[in-house]
Amino acid sequence: MALFGKKNKKERTTSCCCSGNCDAEGMAKAENAKSRGAGVKVLGSGCAKCDQLETVTKAALEQLGMDTTIDHVTDFLQIAAYGVMTTPALVVDGKVVSYGKVLKVDEVVKILQKVRG
């Protein structure tokens, strides 16, 4: 039976987000970078929308009187480690809270208040 029998070699191969173009060392580094820093991060390639989300997030953090340090992650392996395939994305304290769109300042304020209390 296929359900209880041994898996063949094709079934044992793992797939990754980049169709096998990454290595274990690169993925380990990305996971480490992901878990290392709690805080606010913008994930994206550095396009205009990513920069716009960063600007809006800075304004929301300043409005709330919170730490305004934002990491802008452009490395694809680090972005993929969060499970994000559509950028820009916003990460707060290690949790993806938005992806695929540029938020408005009031939307970011509500998210930050909800996540950070």
Side-chain angles (χ1 to χ4, degrees):
M1 298 190 102
L3 291 175
F4 301 105
K6 293 182 180 179
K7 294 181 179 182
N8 65 30
K9 289 183 181 179
K10 286 185 180 179
E11 290 179 46
R12 275 191 235 153
T13 58
T14 58
S15 62
C16 67
C17 59
C18 58
S19 303
N21 293 329
C22 60
D23 58 0
E25 183 181 342
M27 288 303 292
K29 285 181 183 177
E31 268 305 313
N32 186 23
K34 173 184 164 186
S35 62
R36 202 176 349 156
V40 179
K41 298 180 183 183
V42 173
L43 311 179
S45 63
C47 66
K49 288 183 179 183
C50 299
D51 292 339
Q52 188 177 359
L53 179 60
E54 184 176 0
T55 302
V56 166
T57 304
K58 280 182 184 177
L61 286 166
E62 287 174 5
Q63 184 175 332
L64 292 170
M66 294 181 174
D67 180 21
T68 57
T69 302
I70 299 174
D71 292 327
H72 194 134
V73 179
T74 57
D75 179 44
F76 177 73
L77 288 177
Q78 288 182 19
I79 293 170
Y82 283 95
V84 171
M85 293 294 136
T86 308
T87 58
L90 181 63
V91 176
V92 178
D93 296 335
K95 181 179 177 184
V96 177
V97 294
S98 173
Y99 62 91
K101 64 180 181 176
V102 177
L103 300 170
K104 296 178 182 173
V105 175
D106 61 329
E107 293 173 315
V108 177
V109 167
K110 288 178 185 177
I111 288 170
L112 290 170
Q113 287 173 332
K114 183 178 178 182
V115 173
R116 289 195 166 174

